Amino acid sequence: MYGKFQSYLSEELDKIAQAGLYKKERCICSEQGAEITLADGSKALNFCANNYLGLANSPRLLEAAKRTMDSRGYGMSSVRFICGTQDVHLELEKAVSEYFHTEDTILYAACFDANGGVFEPLFTAEDAIISDSLNHASIIDGVRLCKAVRYRYANADMEDLERCLQQAQAQRFRIIVTDGVFSMDGNVAPLDKICDLAEKYDALVMVDESHSAGVVGATGHGVAELFDCYGRVDIHTGTLGKAFGGAVGGFTTGRKEIIDMLRQRSRPYLFSNSLPPMIAGAAVELFKMLSEDNSLHDALVQNVEYFRTKMLDAGFDIKPTQSAICAVMLYDAPLSQRFAAAMAEEGIFVTGFYYPVVPAGQARIRVQLSAAHSREQLDKAIAAFVKVGKNLGVLK
Ligand SMILES: *Cc1c(COP(=O)(O)O)cnc(C)c1O
């Protein structure tokens, strides 16, 4: 029976490869970190992980994970509401609420699930969801699962958002949904202006903090801190898989009744397993660690500043950013691929993106900085950028 379907799949896969969009995976044979070791024993500097605070191999988090595994076991074999809730899950929910200054928090296996399970329990066909055009795939999928009327506004464009809000007065409730930091340009959503418009047009506000939490704001607490919007955001979603340790796990945090309704009705929460105790235990330790001092966030901010300044001085065209994502603009798609390949040969891993991941004619190299990068490693990456830039005619 498989034969016809197999040839269909092979043809589709060939098309993906011919379009240059076939994704290959690099096999890392070390911990995740600023420097990684590959299967052939070679080493590379890693500038393409979301390991913003450098915690993916933190001894303190590893120790907390082991300790919790010893005291609370390996797995829960249950969803939360049947018999999958431990003290450590409740502690983690409390820690997330404290971090974001919110009333309550619900955990998920991933932020993909948090976003997938947030709209359908809260909104019906009578309501409106107004979504930024560059929002993450998981928000797009979550919106698809909900019957609410959809509006889409151009990325961070407040005039376009206002137009959507005016049209959406036809619906019962409205919610504006945005990523905190957009992962391709590294730009920050103008949350203060979004909240102003939400108040003017009677709408709720949701922000996905996946790339912003731990990164933006004076002490890294995300876009609500950056724009002083505490109390004005109704829902934050986020991941434990980026700055917050890099393992796995997601959360939705916000108003008490919203979280309560999600616990009753959110399908990825009701029908999917609890976070493993070791992840919850390590994450509790993580929030404790972040509350003690701001050194990791300070190191990240200094690294971003240093890298950006040196790259601009070298003559590269870099999108303005308030995040740890640095888009080095090349505009030309094949060039972006040659550039990334040449960087890999220099032992520097960065990602080349082009259409359809970014708009046509906007190809770029994305660099993700981490608190774990040393000055020496940053200098090595910058030197490689300059060398490759000259070789490929990007720099004079
Ligand atoms: C990475 C990311 C997610 C998915 O997070 P996971 O916990 O890995 O599922 C969701 N939203 C945004 C904006 C992201 O960047």
Side-chain angles (χ1 to χ4, degrees), residues 110-112 115 136 138 179 208 210-211 239 242 249:
C111 187
F112 208 104
N115 287 333
H136 190 261
S138 54
D179 280 12
D208 179 339
S210 291
H211 282 287
T239 180
K242 292 186 171 118

Side-chain angles (χ1 to χ4, degrees), residues 271-322:
F271 299 107
S272 189
N273 215 23
S274 281
L275 271 189
M278 59 192 151
I279 303 279
V284 167
E285 187 68 24
L286 158 94
F287 286 106
K288 192 164 164 239
M289 193 169 162
L290 296 184
S291 72
E292 287 167 4
D293 72 77
N294 203 44
S295 55
L296 291 174
H297 178 251
D298 288 343
L300 174 64
V301 170
Q302 279 164 21
N303 281 352
V304 173
E305 188 57 35
Y306 183 82
F307 183 82
R308 276 183 56 76
T309 308
K310 292 270 169 172
M311 289 288 284
L312 285 167
D313 288 351
F316 283 103
D317 174 4
I318 295 181
K319 288 239 180 197
T321 184
Q322 288 164 293

Side-chain angles (χ1 to χ4, degrees), residues 15-339:
K15 280 187 215 156
I16 294 173
Q18 274 157 26
L21 298 175
Y22 191 87
K23 298 175 193 66
K24 292 197 201 88
E25 299 176 6
R26 294 179 177 119
C27 178
I28 300 171
C29 296
S30 64
E31 297 173 332
Q32 180 66 284
E35 186 177 70
I36 50 183
T37 309
L38 305 180
D40 65 2
S42 66
K43 290 189 191 301
L45 295 183
N46 185 359
F47 285 85
C48 50
N50 305 307
N51 188 20
Y52 297 126
L53 296 178
L55 292 171
N57 58 358
S58 153
R60 187 164 159 189
L61 296 192
L62 275 160
E63 181 51 41
K66 287 175 189 163
R67 208 166 54 228
T68 318
M69 189 151 60
D70 287 343
S71 66
R72 297 290 182 278
Y74 176 64
M76 292 311 296
S77 307
S78 172
V79 299
R80 286 284 299 278
F81 82 99
I82 297 185
C83 62
T85 299
Q86 287 174 326
D87 48 358
V88 67
H89 296 100
L90 301 177
E91 274 174 57
L92 176 54
E93 287 174 342
K94 194 157 164 277
V96 173
S97 306
E98 276 167 17
Y99 188 87
F100 288 97
H101 301 211
T102 46
E103 292 172 356
D104 200 2
T105 298
I106 176 172
L107 300 176
Y108 289 85
C111 187
F112 208 104
D113 290 328
N115 287 333
V118 69
F119 301 107
E120 187 263 344
L122 299 174
F123 303 104
T124 72
E126 287 184 76
D127 305 318
I129 301 173
I130 306 165
S131 183
D132 188 289
S133 62
L134 290 190
N135 277 345
H136 190 261
S138 54
I139 294 178
I140 294 167
D141 285 8
V143 172
R144 279 190 191 139
L145 293 170
C146 174
K147 295 203 166 61
V149 180
R150 297 160 204 178
Y151 297 87
R152 189 165 170 264
Y153 63 97
N155 177 233
D157 182 334
M158 295 298 100
E159 271 174 41
D160 206 22
L161 171 58
E162 184 156 16
R163 178 190 61 79
C164 291
L165 282 162
Q166 285 163 353
Q167 287 179 14
Q169 295 304 305
Q171 278 76 47
R172 178 183 60 168
F173 300 122
R174 287 151 292 283
I175 183 165
I176 305 167
V177 184
T178 182
D179 280 12
V181 163
F182 296 93
S183 65
M184 287 301 145
D185 287 0
N187 58 318
V188 177
L191 195 63
D192 50 347
K193 299 201 180 74
I194 290 174
C195 288
D196 290 346
L197 285 173
E199 279 152 32
K200 183 167 172 198
Y201 290 98
D202 188 21
L204 299 160
V205 175
M206 168 177 151
V207 49
D208 179 339
E209 300 266 15
S210 291
H211 282 287
S212 48
V215 176
V216 308
T219 59
H221 285 227
V223 275
E225 181 184 50
L226 178 66
F227 291 108
D228 194 16
C229 288
Y230 286 124
R232 302 176 81 193
V233 177
D234 302 285
I235 301 172
H236 305 252
T237 57
T239 180
L240 301 175
K242 292 186 171 118
F244 292 159
V248 74
F251 54 83
T252 300
T253 187
R255 312 263 186 218
K256 180 171 160 294
E257 298 77 11
I258 291 176
I259 303 303
D260 208 7
M261 185 56 81
L262 295 177
R263 274 192 218 286
Q264 304 311 311
R265 299 255 174 92
S266 180
R267 294 165 69 84
Y269 183 78
L270 294 175
F271 299 107
S272 189
N273 215 23
S274 281
L275 271 189
M278 59 192 151
I279 303 279
V284 167
E285 187 68 24
L286 158 94
F287 286 106
K288 192 164 164 239
M289 193 169 162
L290 296 184
S291 72
E292 287 167 4
D293 72 77
N294 203 44
S295 55
L296 291 174
H297 178 251
D298 288 343
L300 174 64
V301 170
Q302 279 164 21
N303 281 352
V304 173
E305 188 57 35
Y306 183 82
F307 183 82
R308 276 183 56 76
T309 308
K310 292 270 169 172
M311 289 288 284
L312 285 167
D313 288 351
F316 283 103
D317 174 4
I318 295 181
K319 288 239 180 197
T321 184
Q322 288 164 293
S323 68
I325 292 167
C326 221
V328 183
M329 300 307 293
L330 298 172
Y331 303 99
D332 179 74
L335 176 63
S336 71
Q337 297 310 290
R338 270 187 289 141
F339 204 108

